[in-house]
Amino acid sequence: MPFLYGLMIVTLVALLPLPPLLQNQDYHQFADQRELFGIPNFWNVVSNLPFIAVGAIGLARFRWNATTLVLFGGIFLTGFGSSYYHLDPNDQTLFWDRLPMTLCFAAILSAAVEERVDARAGATLLPPLLVIGIFSLLLWRWTDDLRLYAWAQFFPFASLVLILSFFPPKYTGASYWVAAAALYALAKLMEHYDHAVYSLGGVLSGHTLKHLAAAAACFAILRLFQVRRPLETVARSAPGRG
């Protein structure tokens, strides 16, 4: 894992000469602001329910491991944090939307390292990633600078792609990792084209579909943990072996 730690250091240092990244206030102006049943921004609020469901199922089964506890706890809290934000979108409520997501980003990378590279290395990686992620949001609130938060979001995703590309699987269910990465990329695409998607028919906005795609990515990760088995165990139990 020296390569990954080295990449972390290099990319963090590379942030220093960049200009501060400020929160664009237009971000809070989502395409679909319809109120239904007395709930403002209804669809952007209720589309977070799948996060709560996936997180609750994951916590019920996988809460005994630190990485999966943080992962599914983060997914569970994302449903509440994002709902809270979309009831009244502003920088203050956005903090509580982003905080549980940083837990998820850190835990997903840690889980991938545990599974593909080395279990101890993945467990060791989790605390520093959590510290950086949480500090990045505090730094944003203190300085209005989002550079470190952008790193905390995209470095785990980029590292996950590298790990999936260059380290062979040690467990079954590898396709769930690929599905999760693809669905997360789709979620970011839907987020970017929020207004364009909503303009196509006014049914659902890109941001609402972003929530659903991201929740589907979380479900893919849940399924991975539910079905995976060590490949060496599968090989030993195959007919004709032993």
Side-chain angles (χ1 to χ4, degrees):
M1 288 309 295
F3 171 76
L4 188 57
Y5 280 109
L7 188 61
M8 286 177 62
I9 294 170
V10 169
T11 52
L12 284 169
V13 171
L15 294 176
L16 296 177
L18 298 179
L21 180 62
L22 304 180
Q23 178 64 57
N24 186 345
Q25 293 304 301
D26 289 340
Y27 177 83
H28 304 304
Q29 302 303 314
F30 297 101
D32 188 355
Q33 300 183 22
R34 290 174 292 178
E35 178 178 323
L36 293 174
F37 308 109
I39 301 175
N41 308 306
F42 177 83
W43 290 110
N44 283 342
V45 173
V46 300
S47 56
N48 286 291
L49 291 176
F51 290 112
I52 298 173
V54 171
I57 294 170
L59 284 172
R61 182 166 176 183
F62 303 109
R63 63 184 180 276
W64 308 115
N65 173 274
T67 300
T68 50
L69 173 64
V70 173
L71 172 58
F72 291 110
I75 293 171
F76 181 75
L77 293 174
T78 292
F80 290 100
S82 183
S83 296
Y84 175 64
Y85 164 63
H86 282 288
L87 287 170
D88 181 20
N90 60 72
D91 283 359
Q92 286 68 41
T93 55
L94 183 56
F95 176 90
W96 299 106
D97 180 12
R98 286 174 169 167
L99 180 59
M101 288 195 294
T102 63
L103 307 183
C104 299
F105 300 144
I108 287 172
L109 179 54
S110 177
V113 173
E114 286 184 17
E115 181 177 300
R116 290 289 182 111
V117 185
D118 179 78
R120 177 176 291 184
T124 303
L125 185 64
L126 181 61
L129 286 175
L130 289 174
V131 169
I132 293 173
I134 294 170
F135 178 71
S136 74
L137 286 169
L138 295 174
L139 186 66
W140 167 48
R141 299 309 303 135
W142 296 333
T143 67
D144 293 326
D145 188 352
L146 281 167
R147 281 178 297 172
L148 188 57
Y149 172 73
W151 182 95
Q153 179 173 181
F154 290 105
F155 178 81
F157 179 72
S159 299
L160 175 63
V161 172
L162 290 175
I163 290 170
L164 296 180
S165 299
F166 294 106
F167 289 88
K170 298 179 181 179
Y171 290 80
T172 60
S175 60
Y176 285 111
W177 278 121
V178 177
L183 286 165
Y184 180 73
L186 176 63
K188 298 306 292 183
L189 187 67
M190 290 295 98
E191 180 181 40
H192 182 73
Y193 290 105
D194 179 32
H195 289 265
V197 171
Y198 189 58
S199 68
L200 293 177
V203 179
L204 293 176
S205 68
H207 201 86
T208 296
L209 294 176
K210 173 231 178 174
H211 289 166
L212 298 178
C218 295
F219 179 72
I221 293 174
L222 173 63
R223 288 296 297 151
L224 168 72
F225 283 102
Q226 288 175 330
V227 306
R228 72 175 187 175
R229 296 173 59 198
L231 286 174
E232 59 183 31
T233 301
V234 174
R236 284 198 302 267
S237 61
R241 296 298 297 270

